[in-house]
Amino acid sequence: METTIQETIVIIVGAGPSGLAVSACLFAKQIPHVVIEREDCCAPLWKRRTYNRLHLHLAKEYCHLPFRPHPPAAATYIPKDEFIKYLDEYASEFKIEPHYCHNVEAALYDEAEQRWVVTARNTEEDQIKHYKSKFLVVATGENSKGKLPNDTPGLQDFKGRSLHSSEYRKGLEFEGKNVLVVGCGNSGMEISLDLSNYGAMTWIVIRNPVHVFPREFIRAGMYLLKYLQVSTVDSLLNSAAKLYYGDLSRHGIERPSEGPFALKLKTGRSPVIDVGAISKIKAGEIKVLPAISTIKENSVLFANGVENSFDAIIFATGYESTACQWLRDYGGILKDNGMPENPTPTHWKGKNGAYCAGLSRMGIAGICRDAQAIAQDIADKVNAFASKQILI
């Protein structure tokens, strides 16, 4: 098997929005780098593992990458296909040419050489390639792999169809079927809405308290955060939501004790952006159920003693980072769960020239900030190294 070696200044692992943003910022500073991507296109999560009706949940002013804001004519809440087009054009504009179909198998820091050594397999040609660099950027994101609750009693016994939300595209194939959605985040709520719109009999599991707001409420809240304290904005949003929705606890939806933005800062958990699911829940067209007790061959038993039959279960139970599976020396940059070891605002910076982008749980705006900070820090070090002639 043929093996090749390539040396550069920076290696970026991942060609999603985070990797593209870091690459563009390094390009602007004329710093040589290589982007490695395991799939055959940029932004594969957006292109291959998202449902059809998806729009960006936040307004466009909070959802652009460095140097390229969305034009005034763009929709306030950008559809998935338009955002994919934006990402492709972004890669072209900043001359980003990832090494596609290169699956990183290991990345470790060589203390003797003071360089990162990354081993990747070219899956098209079944060749091993080694990369060496002074800096390494983990840009594979927090959504590398869908999480399934495999410890749920009886899951393996279910005879119907079970799938993660990343496999869901639209509700047409579930028309007339009984479908259970597990998970009440943005994906779970919107998939429930889509299923109901396509004529599926839809249930959703809501185990824990959750904040729900119309998307314009969140947009207004994010604007107010420029001028008011988080606690003040949270209080205003909660009061407005109570007036808008009424008492949702009657429909099985409890509100957390902490405010939406305070909870986001503390746990990274985002409020649900309602695009129509709540009105369906209030009308009884989407039914809310509590935690699952047991899954049987054709039915599910819930914590309240109710048992219903289902043709399909869709798990909108989130994603996880897989960076620690290939990053051998992740201490000082990532925790065991693949999320940043260091607290905000220095979460993006590790030791030995390692960085992570897109793991702040602050959406695309967080990606933008990470990329700019990482590129500036690398540029400062490159200039210092260059003056001492010890970089390459």
Short mmCIF file of all heavy atoms in Angstrom, two decimals, residues 324-386:
data_model
loop_
_atom_site.label_atom_id
_atom_site.label_comp_id
_atom_site.label_asym_id
_atom_site.label_seq_id
_atom_site.Cartn_x
_atom_site.Cartn_y
_atom_site.Cartn_z
N CYS A 324 -12.41 12.50 19.72
CA CYS A 324 -11.52 11.77 20.62
C CYS A 324 -11.20 10.36 20.14
O CYS A 324 -10.30 9.71 20.67
CB CYS A 324 -12.11 11.72 22.03
SG CYS A 324 -12.17 13.33 22.84
N GLN A 325 -11.93 9.89 19.14
CA GLN A 325 -11.65 8.57 18.59
C GLN A 325 -10.38 8.58 17.73
O GLN A 325 -9.73 7.55 17.58
CB GLN A 325 -12.84 8.08 17.76
CG GLN A 325 -14.09 7.84 18.59
CD GLN A 325 -15.28 7.40 17.75
OE1 GLN A 325 -15.14 7.05 16.57
NE2 GLN A 325 -16.47 7.44 18.33
N TRP A 326 -10.05 9.73 17.16
CA TRP A 326 -8.85 9.80 16.31
C TRP A 326 -7.78 10.76 16.86
O TRP A 326 -6.62 10.62 16.51
CB TRP A 326 -9.21 10.20 14.88
CG TRP A 326 -10.05 11.45 14.75
CD1 TRP A 326 -11.41 11.52 14.64
CD2 TRP A 326 -9.58 12.81 14.72
NE1 TRP A 326 -11.81 12.83 14.55
CE2 TRP A 326 -10.71 13.64 14.58
CE3 TRP A 326 -8.32 13.40 14.78
CZ2 TRP A 326 -10.63 15.03 14.52
CZ3 TRP A 326 -8.22 14.79 14.72
CH2 TRP A 326 -9.37 15.58 14.58
N LEU A 327 -8.19 11.70 17.70
CA LEU A 327 -7.22 12.63 18.28
C LEU A 327 -6.63 11.98 19.52
O LEU A 327 -7.25 11.96 20.59
CB LEU A 327 -7.90 13.96 18.62
CG LEU A 327 -7.00 15.06 19.18
CD1 LEU A 327 -5.87 15.41 18.23
CD2 LEU A 327 -7.83 16.30 19.51
N ARG A 328 -5.44 11.43 19.38
CA ARG A 328 -4.84 10.65 20.46
C ARG A 328 -4.40 11.51 21.63
O ARG A 328 -4.46 11.08 22.78
CB ARG A 328 -3.64 9.86 19.91
CG ARG A 328 -3.99 8.95 18.75
CD ARG A 328 -4.91 7.81 19.15
NE ARG A 328 -5.42 7.06 18.02
CZ ARG A 328 -4.75 6.13 17.38
NH1 ARG A 328 -3.52 5.81 17.76
NH2 ARG A 328 -5.30 5.50 16.35
N ASP A 329 -3.95 12.71 21.36
CA ASP A 329 -3.45 13.59 22.41
C ASP A 329 -4.44 14.74 22.62
O ASP A 329 -4.14 15.90 22.35
CB ASP A 329 -2.07 14.14 22.05
CG ASP A 329 -1.05 13.04 21.85
OD1 ASP A 329 -1.03 12.12 22.68
OD2 ASP A 329 -0.29 13.09 20.88
N TYR A 330 -5.66 14.40 23.08
CA TYR A 330 -6.69 15.44 23.16
C TYR A 330 -6.72 16.14 24.52
O TYR A 330 -7.48 17.09 24.71
CB TYR A 330 -8.07 14.86 22.84
CG TYR A 330 -8.57 13.77 23.75
CD1 TYR A 330 -9.16 14.08 24.97
CD2 TYR A 330 -8.48 12.43 23.38
CE1 TYR A 330 -9.65 13.08 25.80
CE2 TYR A 330 -8.96 11.42 24.20
CZ TYR A 330 -9.55 11.75 25.41
OH TYR A 330 -10.03 10.76 26.23
N GLY A 331 -5.90 15.70 25.46
CA GLY A 331 -5.83 16.40 26.74
C GLY A 331 -5.35 17.83 26.55
O GLY A 331 -4.44 18.10 25.78
N GLY A 332 -6.01 18.75 27.24
CA GLY A 332 -5.66 20.16 27.10
C GLY A 332 -6.47 20.88 26.06
O GLY A 332 -6.42 22.11 25.98
N ILE A 333 -7.26 20.15 25.26
CA ILE A 333 -8.12 20.78 24.26
C ILE A 333 -9.54 20.24 24.34
O ILE A 333 -10.51 21.00 24.26
CB ILE A 333 -7.54 20.62 22.82
CG1 ILE A 333 -8.43 21.34 21.81
CG2 ILE A 333 -7.36 19.17 22.45
CD1 ILE A 333 -8.42 22.82 21.90
N LEU A 334 -9.70 18.90 24.52
CA LEU A 334 -11.02 18.29 24.57
C LEU A 334 -11.17 17.42 25.81
O LEU A 334 -10.20 16.87 26.32
CB LEU A 334 -11.27 17.41 23.34
CG LEU A 334 -11.20 18.07 21.96
CD1 LEU A 334 -11.42 17.02 20.89
CD2 LEU A 334 -12.23 19.20 21.84
N LYS A 335 -12.41 17.30 26.26
CA LYS A 335 -12.75 16.34 27.31
C LYS A 335 -13.05 14.99 26.66
O LYS A 335 -13.06 14.86 25.43
CB LYS A 335 -13.96 16.84 28.10
CG LYS A 335 -13.70 18.13 28.86
CD LYS A 335 -14.89 18.54 29.72
CE LYS A 335 -16.05 19.02 28.88
NZ LYS A 335 -17.13 19.60 29.72
N ASP A 336 -13.31 13.99 27.48
CA ASP A 336 -13.56 12.65 26.95
C ASP A 336 -14.78 12.59 26.04
O ASP A 336 -14.89 11.72 25.17
CB ASP A 336 -13.76 11.65 28.09
CG ASP A 336 -12.46 11.37 28.85
OD1 ASP A 336 -11.39 11.69 28.31
OD2 ASP A 336 -12.54 10.85 29.98
N ASN A 337 -15.72 13.52 26.21
CA ASN A 337 -16.92 13.53 25.35
C ASN A 337 -16.73 14.30 24.06
O ASN A 337 -17.68 14.48 23.29
CB ASN A 337 -18.12 14.09 26.12
CG ASN A 337 -17.94 15.56 26.49
OD1 ASN A 337 -16.91 16.17 26.23
ND2 ASN A 337 -18.96 16.13 27.12
N GLY A 338 -15.49 14.75 23.81
CA GLY A 338 -15.20 15.44 22.56
C GLY A 338 -15.55 16.91 22.55
O GLY A 338 -15.43 17.58 21.53
N MET A 339 -15.94 17.45 23.69
CA MET A 339 -16.27 18.87 23.79
C MET A 339 -15.10 19.61 24.46
O MET A 339 -14.25 18.98 25.09
CB MET A 339 -17.56 19.05 24.60
CG MET A 339 -18.77 18.40 23.92
SD MET A 339 -19.07 19.01 22.24
CE MET A 339 -19.65 20.67 22.58
N PRO A 340 -15.04 20.93 24.33
CA PRO A 340 -13.87 21.67 24.82
C PRO A 340 -13.59 21.47 26.31
O PRO A 340 -14.51 21.45 27.13
CB PRO A 340 -14.23 23.13 24.52
CG PRO A 340 -15.19 23.05 23.39
CD PRO A 340 -15.99 21.81 23.63
N GLU A 341 -12.32 21.32 26.61
CA GLU A 341 -11.90 21.19 28.01
C GLU A 341 -11.89 22.54 28.70
O GLU A 341 -12.17 22.65 29.89
CB GLU A 341 -10.51 20.56 28.08
CG GLU A 341 -9.98 20.36 29.48
CD GLU A 341 -8.66 19.64 29.51
OE1 GLU A 341 -8.59 18.51 28.98
OE2 GLU A 341 -7.68 20.21 30.04
N ASN A 342 -11.57 23.57 27.95
CA ASN A 342 -11.43 24.90 28.54
C ASN A 342 -12.75 25.67 28.45
O ASN A 342 -13.51 25.52 27.49
CB ASN A 342 -10.34 25.68 27.81
CG ASN A 342 -9.00 24.98 27.89
OD1 ASN A 342 -8.60 24.51 28.95
ND2 ASN A 342 -8.31 24.87 26.76
N PRO A 343 -13.04 26.51 29.43
CA PRO A 343 -14.29 27.26 29.43
C PRO A 343 -14.26 28.41 28.42
O PRO A 343 -13.20 28.87 28.01
CB PRO A 343 -14.38 27.80 30.86
CG PRO A 343 -12.95 27.91 31.31
CD PRO A 343 -12.23 26.77 30.65
N THR A 344 -15.44 28.86 28.04
CA THR A 344 -15.57 30.06 27.22
C THR A 344 -15.02 31.25 28.00
O THR A 344 -15.21 31.32 29.22
CB THR A 344 -17.05 30.29 26.88
OG1 THR A 344 -17.57 29.13 26.23
CG2 THR A 344 -17.24 31.49 25.98
N PRO A 345 -14.30 32.18 27.37
CA PRO A 345 -14.16 32.37 25.93
C PRO A 345 -12.88 31.80 25.31
O PRO A 345 -12.59 32.08 24.16
CB PRO A 345 -14.16 33.89 25.82
CG PRO A 345 -13.45 34.35 27.05
CD PRO A 345 -13.85 33.38 28.13
N THR A 346 -12.11 31.02 26.08
CA THR A 346 -10.86 30.47 25.53
C THR A 346 -10.99 28.98 25.22
O THR A 346 -9.99 28.28 25.15
CB THR A 346 -9.69 30.71 26.50
OG1 THR A 346 -10.00 30.11 27.76
CG2 THR A 346 -9.43 32.20 26.69
N HIS A 347 -12.22 28.52 25.01
CA HIS A 347 -12.48 27.10 24.73
C HIS A 347 -11.80 26.61 23.47
O HIS A 347 -11.53 25.42 23.32
CB HIS A 347 -13.99 26.89 24.59
CG HIS A 347 -14.58 27.73 23.50
ND1 HIS A 347 -14.94 29.05 23.68
CD2 HIS A 347 -14.82 27.45 22.19
CE1 HIS A 347 -15.39 29.53 22.54
NE2 HIS A 347 -15.33 28.59 21.63
N TRP A 348 -11.53 27.51 22.53
CA TRP A 348 -11.02 27.16 21.21
C TRP A 348 -9.52 26.85 21.20
O TRP A 348 -9.00 26.34 20.22
CB TRP A 348 -11.30 28.29 20.22
CG TRP A 348 -10.88 29.65 20.72
CD1 TRP A 348 -11.63 30.53 21.43
CD2 TRP A 348 -9.59 30.25 20.57
NE1 TRP A 348 -10.90 31.66 21.74
CE2 TRP A 348 -9.64 31.51 21.22
CE3 TRP A 348 -8.39 29.86 19.97
CZ2 TRP A 348 -8.55 32.37 21.26
CZ3 TRP A 348 -7.30 30.72 20.01
CH2 TRP A 348 -7.39 31.95 20.64
N LYS A 349 -8.84 27.15 22.30
CA LYS A 349 -7.38 27.05 22.31
C LYS A 349 -6.89 25.98 23.28
O LYS A 349 -7.27 25.96 24.45
CB LYS A 349 -6.78 28.41 22.70
CG LYS A 349 -5.26 28.47 22.62
CD LYS A 349 -4.79 29.89 22.90
CE LYS A 349 -3.28 30.01 22.81
NZ LYS A 349 -2.83 31.39 23.09
N GLY A 350 -6.05 25.07 22.77
CA GLY A 350 -5.47 24.02 23.60
C GLY A 350 -3.97 24.19 23.70
O GLY A 350 -3.43 25.28 23.52
N LYS A 351 -3.29 23.09 23.97
CA LYS A 351 -1.84 23.14 24.09
C LYS A 351 -1.19 22.54 22.85
O LYS A 351 -1.83 21.88 22.04
CB LYS A 351 -1.39 22.39 25.34
CG LYS A 351 -1.70 20.89 25.33
CD LYS A 351 -1.23 20.22 26.61
CE LYS A 351 -1.47 18.72 26.56
NZ LYS A 351 -1.02 18.05 27.80
N ASN A 352 0.10 22.80 22.69
CA ASN A 352 0.89 22.25 21.57
C ASN A 352 0.34 22.63 20.19
O ASN A 352 0.46 21.88 19.23
CB ASN A 352 0.99 20.72 21.67
CG ASN A 352 1.71 20.26 22.91
OD1 ASN A 352 2.62 20.94 23.40
ND2 ASN A 352 1.29 19.12 23.45
N GLY A 353 -0.26 23.82 20.11
CA GLY A 353 -0.75 24.28 18.81
C GLY A 353 -2.03 23.61 18.36
O GLY A 353 -2.31 23.57 17.15
N ALA A 354 -2.81 23.07 19.30
CA ALA A 354 -4.09 22.45 18.96
C ALA A 354 -5.23 23.43 19.22
O ALA A 354 -5.22 24.18 20.21
CB ALA A 354 -4.30 21.18 19.77
N TYR A 355 -6.22 23.41 18.33
CA TYR A 355 -7.38 24.29 18.44
C TYR A 355 -8.64 23.49 18.11
O TYR A 355 -8.57 22.45 17.46
CB TYR A 355 -7.27 25.47 17.46
CG TYR A 355 -6.03 26.31 17.62
CD1 TYR A 355 -4.84 25.98 16.96
CD2 TYR A 355 -6.05 27.45 18.41
CE1 TYR A 355 -3.70 26.75 17.11
CE2 TYR A 355 -4.91 28.23 18.56
CZ TYR A 355 -3.74 27.88 17.91
OH TYR A 355 -2.62 28.65 18.05
N CYS A 356 -9.78 24.02 18.53
CA CYS A 356 -11.05 23.43 18.12
C CYS A 356 -12.01 24.55 17.71
O CYS A 356 -12.06 25.60 18.34
CB CYS A 356 -11.67 22.57 19.22
SG CYS A 356 -12.10 23.44 20.74
N ALA A 357 -12.74 24.31 16.64
CA ALA A 357 -13.69 25.30 16.12
C ALA A 357 -15.07 24.66 16.03
O ALA A 357 -15.21 23.50 15.67
CB ALA A 357 -13.25 25.79 14.73
N GLY A 358 -16.09 25.45 16.36
CA GLY A 358 -17.45 24.97 16.23
C GLY A 358 -17.95 24.12 17.36
O GLY A 358 -18.95 23.42 17.21
N LEU A 359 -17.29 24.19 18.51
CA LEU A 359 -17.72 23.39 19.66
C LEU A 359 -18.19 24.26 20.82
O LEU A 359 -18.31 23.80 21.95
CB LEU A 359 -16.58 22.49 20.14
CG LEU A 359 -16.11 21.42 19.15
CD1 LEU A 359 -14.95 20.63 19.74
CD2 LEU A 359 -17.25 20.48 18.79
N SER A 360 -18.49 25.52 20.54
CA SER A 360 -18.90 26.44 21.60
C SER A 360 -20.38 26.34 21.92
O SER A 360 -20.85 26.93 22.88
CB SER A 360 -18.58 27.88 21.20
OG SER A 360 -19.39 28.28 20.10
N ARG A 361 -21.14 25.59 21.11
CA ARG A 361 -22.60 25.49 21.23
C ARG A 361 -23.25 26.85 21.09
O ARG A 361 -24.29 27.13 21.69
CB ARG A 361 -22.98 24.85 22.57
CG ARG A 361 -22.63 23.37 22.64
CD ARG A 361 -22.93 22.79 24.00
NE ARG A 361 -22.79 21.34 24.00
CZ ARG A 361 -22.71 20.59 25.10
NH1 ARG A 361 -22.73 21.17 26.28
NH2 ARG A 361 -22.60 19.29 25.02
N MET A 362 -22.64 27.71 20.27
CA MET A 362 -23.17 29.04 20.03
C MET A 362 -23.52 29.24 18.55
O MET A 362 -23.52 30.36 18.05
CB MET A 362 -22.17 30.11 20.49
CG MET A 362 -22.00 30.16 21.99
SD MET A 362 -23.52 30.69 22.82
CE MET A 362 -23.15 30.30 24.53
N GLY A 363 -23.79 28.14 17.86
CA GLY A 363 -24.26 28.23 16.49
C GLY A 363 -23.22 28.76 15.52
O GLY A 363 -22.01 28.73 15.79
N ILE A 364 -23.71 29.27 14.40
CA ILE A 364 -22.82 29.75 13.34
C ILE A 364 -22.09 31.01 13.79
O ILE A 364 -20.92 31.23 13.42
CB ILE A 364 -23.61 29.97 12.05
CG1 ILE A 364 -24.20 28.62 11.58
CG2 ILE A 364 -22.73 30.56 10.95
CD1 ILE A 364 -25.19 28.72 10.46
N ALA A 365 -22.73 31.83 14.60
CA ALA A 365 -22.04 33.01 15.14
C ALA A 365 -20.84 32.59 15.99
O ALA A 365 -19.77 33.23 15.94
CB ALA A 365 -23.00 33.86 15.95
N GLY A 366 -20.99 31.51 16.74
CA GLY A 366 -19.87 31.00 17.53
C GLY A 366 -18.76 30.46 16.66
O GLY A 366 -17.57 30.63 16.95
N ILE A 367 -19.13 29.79 15.56
CA ILE A 367 -18.14 29.31 14.59
C ILE A 367 -17.33 30.48 14.05
O ILE A 367 -16.10 30.41 13.95
CB ILE A 367 -18.84 28.57 13.44
CG1 ILE A 367 -19.38 27.22 13.92
CG2 ILE A 367 -17.90 28.39 12.25
CD1 ILE A 367 -20.22 26.49 12.89
N CYS A 368 -18.02 31.55 13.71
CA CYS A 368 -17.36 32.74 13.15
C CYS A 368 -16.34 33.30 14.14
O CYS A 368 -15.19 33.59 13.77
CB CYS A 368 -18.43 33.78 12.82
SG CYS A 368 -17.87 35.16 11.82
N ARG A 369 -16.73 33.42 15.39
CA ARG A 369 -15.82 33.95 16.41
C ARG A 369 -14.63 33.01 16.62
O ARG A 369 -13.48 33.46 16.74
CB ARG A 369 -16.57 34.18 17.72
CG ARG A 369 -17.56 35.33 17.68
CD ARG A 369 -18.04 35.68 19.07
NE ARG A 369 -18.86 34.61 19.65
CZ ARG A 369 -20.19 34.53 19.53
NH1 ARG A 369 -20.83 35.45 18.83
NH2 ARG A 369 -20.85 33.55 20.10
N ASP A 370 -14.91 31.70 16.68
CA ASP A 370 -13.83 30.73 16.86
C ASP A 370 -12.81 30.85 15.74
O ASP A 370 -11.60 30.87 15.97
CB ASP A 370 -14.39 29.31 16.87
CG ASP A 370 -15.12 28.95 18.15
OD1 ASP A 370 -15.12 29.77 19.09
OD2 ASP A 370 -15.71 27.86 18.20
N ALA A 371 -13.29 30.86 14.50
CA ALA A 371 -12.40 30.87 13.34
C ALA A 371 -11.50 32.10 13.33
O ALA A 371 -10.29 32.01 13.06
CB ALA A 371 -13.23 30.81 12.05
N GLN A 372 -12.07 33.25 13.63
CA GLN A 372 -11.28 34.48 13.62
C GLN A 372 -10.24 34.47 14.74
O GLN A 372 -9.09 34.89 14.54
CB GLN A 372 -12.23 35.69 13.76
CG GLN A 372 -13.10 35.89 12.52
CD GLN A 372 -14.19 36.91 12.75
OE1 GLN A 372 -14.77 37.01 13.83
NE2 GLN A 372 -14.52 37.67 11.71
N ALA A 373 -10.63 33.97 15.91
CA ALA A 373 -9.69 33.92 17.03
C ALA A 373 -8.56 32.94 16.75
O ALA A 373 -7.38 33.22 17.02
CB ALA A 373 -10.44 33.52 18.30
N ILE A 374 -8.90 31.77 16.20
CA ILE A 374 -7.89 30.76 15.90
C ILE A 374 -6.90 31.28 14.86
O ILE A 374 -5.67 31.15 15.02
CB ILE A 374 -8.57 29.46 15.40
CG1 ILE A 374 -9.30 28.78 16.56
CG2 ILE A 374 -7.54 28.50 14.79
CD1 ILE A 374 -10.24 27.67 16.12
N ALA A 375 -7.41 31.85 13.78
CA ALA A 375 -6.53 32.34 12.71
C ALA A 375 -5.61 33.44 13.22
O ALA A 375 -4.42 33.48 12.86
CB ALA A 375 -7.37 32.84 11.53
N GLN A 376 -6.14 34.33 14.07
CA GLN A 376 -5.30 35.41 14.60
C GLN A 376 -4.22 34.86 15.51
O GLN A 376 -3.06 35.29 15.45
CB GLN A 376 -6.16 36.41 15.37
CG GLN A 376 -5.40 37.64 15.85
CD GLN A 376 -4.77 38.41 14.71
OE1 GLN A 376 -5.46 38.84 13.79
NE2 GLN A 376 -3.44 38.59 14.76
N ASP A 377 -4.57 33.88 16.34
CA ASP A 377 -3.59 33.30 17.25
C ASP A 377 -2.49 32.57 16.46
O ASP A 377 -1.31 32.69 16.79
CB ASP A 377 -4.28 32.32 18.20
CG ASP A 377 -3.43 31.98 19.40
OD1 ASP A 377 -3.19 32.88 20.22
OD2 ASP A 377 -2.99 30.81 19.51
N ILE A 378 -2.89 31.84 15.44
CA ILE A 378 -1.89 31.16 14.61
C ILE A 378 -1.01 32.16 13.88
O ILE A 378 0.22 32.00 13.81
CB ILE A 378 -2.59 30.21 13.61
CG1 ILE A 378 -3.21 29.03 14.35
CG2 ILE A 378 -1.60 29.72 12.54
CD1 ILE A 378 -4.03 28.10 13.47
N ALA A 379 -1.62 33.22 13.35
CA ALA A 379 -0.85 34.25 12.64
C ALA A 379 0.19 34.89 13.56
O ALA A 379 1.34 35.11 13.16
CB ALA A 379 -1.78 35.31 12.08
N ASP A 380 -0.21 35.16 14.79
CA ASP A 380 0.74 35.75 15.75
C ASP A 380 1.91 34.81 15.99
O ASP A 380 3.08 35.25 16.04
CB ASP A 380 0.03 36.05 17.07
CG ASP A 380 -0.99 37.18 16.95
OD1 ASP A 380 -0.92 37.94 15.97
OD2 ASP A 380 -1.86 37.27 17.84
N LYS A 381 1.62 33.52 16.12
CA LYS A 381 2.68 32.56 16.38
C LYS A 381 3.55 32.33 15.15
O LYS A 381 4.77 32.17 15.26
CB LYS A 381 2.08 31.24 16.86
CG LYS A 381 1.48 31.34 18.25
CD LYS A 381 0.86 30.04 18.71
CE LYS A 381 0.32 30.18 20.13
NZ LYS A 381 -0.35 28.96 20.61
N VAL A 382 2.91 32.32 13.98
CA VAL A 382 3.68 32.16 12.74
C VAL A 382 4.67 33.31 12.59
O VAL A 382 5.84 33.11 12.23
CB VAL A 382 2.74 32.09 11.53
CG1 VAL A 382 3.51 32.31 10.22
CG2 VAL A 382 2.02 30.74 11.48
N ASN A 383 4.22 34.51 12.87
CA ASN A 383 5.11 35.67 12.75
C ASN A 383 6.26 35.58 13.75
O ASN A 383 7.41 35.91 13.43
CB ASN A 383 4.31 36.96 12.97
CG ASN A 383 3.34 37.24 11.85
OD1 ASN A 383 3.54 36.79 10.72
ND2 ASN A 383 2.28 37.97 12.14
N ALA A 384 5.95 35.12 14.96
CA ALA A 384 7.00 34.97 15.97
C ALA A 384 7.98 33.87 15.58
O ALA A 384 9.21 34.04 15.69
CB ALA A 384 6.38 34.66 17.33
N PHE A 385 7.44 32.74 15.07
CA PHE A 385 8.30 31.65 14.63
C PHE A 385 9.17 32.08 13.45
O PHE A 385 10.37 31.76 13.39
CB PHE A 385 7.46 30.44 14.22
CG PHE A 385 6.88 29.69 15.39
CD1 PHE A 385 5.57 29.23 15.33
CD2 PHE A 385 7.61 29.43 16.53
CE1 PHE A 385 5.02 28.53 16.38
CE2 PHE A 385 7.07 28.73 17.59
CZ PHE A 385 5.77 28.29 17.52
N ALA A 386 8.56 32.79 12.51
CA ALA A 386 9.28 33.20 11.31
C ALA A 386 10.48 34.09 11.66
O ALA A 386 11.54 34.02 11.04
CB ALA A 386 8.34 33.91 10.35
#
